[in-house]
Amino acid sequence: VNKHKPWIETSYHGIITENNDTVILDPPLVALDKDAPVPFAGEICAFKIHGQEMPFEAVVLNKTSGEGWLRAKSPIDCELQKEYTFIIQAYDCGSGPGGTNWKKSHKAVVHIQVKDVNEFSPAFKESMYKASVTEGKIYDSILQVEATDEDCSPQYSQICNYEIVTTDVPFAIDRNGNIRNTEKLSYDKQHQYEIMVTAFDCGQKRATEDVLVQVSVKPVCKPGWQDWNKRIEYRPGSGSIPLFPSIHLETCDGPVSSIHTTIELQTNYIGKGCDRETYSEKSLQKLCGASSGAIDLLPSPSTTTNWTAGLLMDSNDMIFKFDGKQGAKIPDGIVPKNLTDQFTITLWMKHGPSPGLRAEKETILCNSDKTEMNRHHYALYVHNCRLVFLLRKDFDQADTFRPAEFHWKLDQICDKEWHYYVVNVEFPVVTLYMDGTTYEPYLVTNDWPIHPSHIAMQLTVGACWQGGEVTKPRFAQYFHGSLASLTIRPGKIESQKVISCLQACKEGLDINSLESLGQGIKYHFNPSQSVLVMEGDDIENINQALQKVSYINSRQFPTAGVRRLKVSSKVQCFGEDVCISIPDIDAYVMVFQANEPKITITGMDHFARPAAQFESERGVILLPDIRIVSTVTKMEHSVDLREHDRANKQVVVEEMLHNLDFCDVLVIGAELDPEQECLELDHGELQGKHLDATNSTAGYSIYGVDSMFSYEQVLRQLRYRNWGTSATSDRKFRVKCSELNGRYTSNEFNLEVNILHSSNSNLMDHVNHMIFQPKFLQSVQHPEGSVSAVHSSVVPSVATIVIIICVSILVLVVTLGVFRLRSARQHGSLGHEGAKENEMDWDDSALTITVNPMEKYEKPHQTEEESEEEDIDDEEEDTTSAESDDSEEEEEEEEEEEVIVQKGDKQNATRQEQL
């Protein structure tokens, strides 16, 4: 009889491995029944599981022994559920085969854990990691990388290790993923590091993908200007170029209240302190509007100004260097002996401290007695870093105690820098202008006038002439330093405007678009625009303002070389005087050499005129068609892809416009005889131009800074007169022009002028024209569209003359009657030139024709055509009024004359060649 219920344990603990169906229970699943071990009542028929949708089932293995088996109905995934808890009961078979009257055991709790399998690899949370470090520091942890594992168990889901895959990097990583640097990093050595990192779980399964870690190295934050270039390139003609287009200030987050910045362009080693025009002082004063009359005491050495030939000189900038051993005597007549109460001395001077404890006077300019005595009439000198001007009046001009010495004490006199000095004398007041600023003398001493004498005076530069009190007159009180553009202007004083123009620099600092400067920016230039001071309270506005600072050089041919730049700054912070220190900027502007121009003078280089024209009141224009052209050669680079990007240089010649500063028309050979010849120019031609002129027996000199066109206009009006032509048959002249005081010079253009003298017969004029004109008229460019009718009227007469000469030589045996018949026939064919045909009847005994056998005219007819226009001019001047009356007859006979020319061409050419 089924009296008892089955019995099972009260609880079970089981383990199942994921992706498996077998559950291992502890204790084993066994049900016991106290009923007799007979069928049905003592047997176990089933185990039932109570719970919602449990993925397990219990199976009876042996009804008699009560053994059971717990298994999974479907694969178990640990990642979905790590453990299960449910209720299980055992059922006996009841009292019959149908299981009637069955009994169930008490409820037992089953707790099953799912055993994990290491099926997942670690994966990093981020696709890439970035970090920044400051150079020079060791970090405990720069950043931490983190990887995860989707396995469910701690053994397989935990990351037990990280490793750096990249080799030879100064970094290490610990098991928690913290990356640190193993040595101090340097920004200059490497700006950024890229390293690969991998991870391992506790089952030693490696991550499928390594992760990239970028470590950027930042320089130590140093306050200062950033993003500027040390070298700035400047090409001539570039105008104004920005110096620091991307500059900005790094303050390292300092609380800045104001910024004070000074930009200085250092050009004291360029020329006379900066890039200035290197024209002669005369030309510069004319250009600046100064009144004429200045006398240059330190001109370039030449045949007329040879007193500077022995001095040390820098020819590019017209600078004379005095080493304490040199002086120059100014010839008599250059400067008037007695200066008036008003005159001006101008000069550039560079001077340093005088050597020795007791410094001697260093003479710049001195006018002293030439012999016997040692009196200084006027002088300008330096003594103990003081500039002194001495002016002793003559006794006949003043007989009272008068101001005589004027002293100025200035630091600039001995600072070894270039300065421009103007001594303005308006006696008894003497004023000094230095670099455009007015200075009154700090000391004025009086003296008695000099007693009159008949001793000649000697004007000197660089030392003073000691004519007396010594056994032999010699130089004394030598100057140590450099001088340039020393001039004296008697009777005139200069205006402040002219003085400023003369000492103006042609290069300096500039600000692009002043109107766009930010509000609150204050700026100030010094007079020469070499120093710019900017101040503001906003960093961004200061940055933008400094980005607009530029360099400009207005010279067409600037002095090549380096210009140093220095930018110094001071920063103030709130509540503090100076909070951070800003290092200075040291940069430089590299000015490139300008392409050198080639100045070419062209024109008619040979002509002849009758003597009467030279003797006329207006004379003869020497250079009617002179042309001055300047060209520059440039190299263009073109890239040829077929030559593997090799640059091919192409030479390109371009015409350029620039000024000239003098043109000299010099006489070649003996100088002009002022008793019978001269060069003349109407001074009205110079009006409205920056030009002046000087005339001498050696030639004519036109000087001043003006365009090539202006020089052409003036030169085309230069005339040569000769009212004693009987003693002169020809004159030769040479034209040479210059830019920048001889820095660039033209070719030497030579001109030969022949004076044609009248003889017993005007036929000689025609023969001379025929022989000589082709030599110099081949270079003349005749305008197109010349009147061919006039040409054709001239050519037949020339051909006829050649035929007559040849025939007369070959047929001397022919009787005079036959020759007269021949002449009469020629009169019939050329009736319009009857007067000239009469001139052709000459006496053979009185005529001697000398022909150069070396001359060969390969194209005589072409040469004649080229010279026809000149022939016309000469014949029109020589012909009589009868020829002008026959002009209508000339037109009617044009066609007939052209036929004659065509027939005579071949014969003419043969005979010319034989001659």
Side-chain angles (χ1 to χ4, degrees), residues 204-335:
Q204 292 304 304
K205 195 176 186 69
R206 180 174 172 169
T208 54
E209 291 185 2
D210 300 335
V211 70
L212 174 65
V213 179
Q214 286 184 348
V215 180
S216 299
V217 181
K218 295 192 303 182
V220 175
C221 186
K222 299 175 182 177
W225 296 102
Q226 306 289 332
D227 296 337
W228 54 273
N229 293 323
K230 187 176 184 67
R231 174 187 171 104
I232 302 104
E233 295 182 351
Y234 186 86
R235 300 188 181 278
S238 301
S240 178
I241 62 165
L243 295 172
F244 311 110
S246 303
I247 197 169
H248 64 275
L249 182 63
E250 174 63 62
T251 61
C252 296
D253 300 326
V256 174
S257 62
S258 67
I259 307 168
H260 183 278
T261 301
T262 302
I263 306 102
E264 182 180 1
L265 180 68
Q266 299 174 345
T267 60
N268 53 343
Y269 48 90
I270 299 293
K272 296 188 289 289
C274 68
D275 211 358
R276 293 181 168 92
E277 295 292 6
T278 55
Y279 296 115
S280 67
E281 188 66 15
K282 270 189 174 182
S283 298
L284 273 179
Q285 292 189 5
K286 186 76 175 177
L287 187 64
C288 288
S291 53
S292 59
I295 301 166
D296 195 352
L297 300 182
L298 286 176
S300 296
S302 67
T303 55
T304 57
T305 58
N306 57 359
W307 65 85
T308 58
L311 301 179
L312 298 174
M313 177 184 174
D314 181 353
S315 57
N316 284 338
D317 298 300
M318 288 294 296
I319 295 171
F320 293 87
K321 298 179 180 179
F322 294 86
D323 57 2
K325 301 176 182 178
Q326 294 173 318
K329 292 182 181 181
I330 309 297
D332 296 339
I334 299 295
V335 179

Side-chain angles (χ1 to χ4, degrees), residues 461-631:
V461 174
C464 197
W465 186 253
Q466 188 171 357
E469 302 176 4
V470 289
T471 56
K472 183 180 179 180
R474 58 180 175 82
F475 280 119
Q477 301 175 1
Y478 288 98
F479 181 76
H480 296 78
S482 299
L483 298 175
S485 304
L486 175 60
T487 69
I488 189 166
R489 185 188 303 275
K492 301 288 183 180
I493 59 173
E494 290 300 354
S495 66
Q496 180 71 44
K497 182 178 179 182
V498 172
I499 293 172
S500 298
C501 173
L502 289 173
Q503 58 100 31
C505 284
K506 293 297 180 180
E507 64 179 341
L509 300 173
D510 193 17
I511 297 179
N512 291 332
S513 60
L514 281 171
E515 64 279 358
S516 65
L517 281 181
Q519 293 183 352
I521 298 295
K522 300 177 183 178
Y523 69 93
H524 172 70
F525 283 103
N526 69 335
S528 63
Q529 289 197 209
S530 62
V531 177
L532 170 62
V533 178
M534 307 182 79
E535 188 173 358
D537 53 9
D538 183 78
I539 295 178
E540 190 58 36
N541 285 343
I542 283 287
N543 289 341
Q544 293 179 5
L546 199 55
Q547 290 168 7
K548 292 182 171 67
V549 176
S550 59
Y551 169 80
I552 187 171
N553 193 318
S554 60
R555 292 191 65 193
Q556 192 171 13
F557 305 104
T559 303
V562 171
R563 275 72 162 167
R564 288 193 286 267
L565 276 170
K566 184 176 182 179
V567 181
S568 55
S569 306
K570 292 182 179 179
V571 177
Q572 290 187 340
C573 294
F574 294 99
E576 301 179 28
D577 293 335
V578 177
C579 52
I580 55 177
S581 177
I582 305 296
D584 293 343
I585 288 179
D586 288 314
Y588 64 92
V589 179
M590 172 57 73
V591 179
F592 287 102
Q593 182 75 45
N595 291 317
E596 293 196 2
K598 180 182 180 182
I599 307 171
T600 306
I601 303 175
T602 57
M604 183 171 61
D605 59 358
H606 192 172
F607 69 85
R609 293 287 186 275
Q613 293 189 21
F614 292 95
E615 295 172 356
S616 65
E617 183 181 352
R618 297 291 294 174
V620 174
I621 293 179
L622 275 185
L623 306 163
D625 61 347
I626 191 171
R627 182 90 168 90
I628 305 174
V629 177
S630 181
T631 56

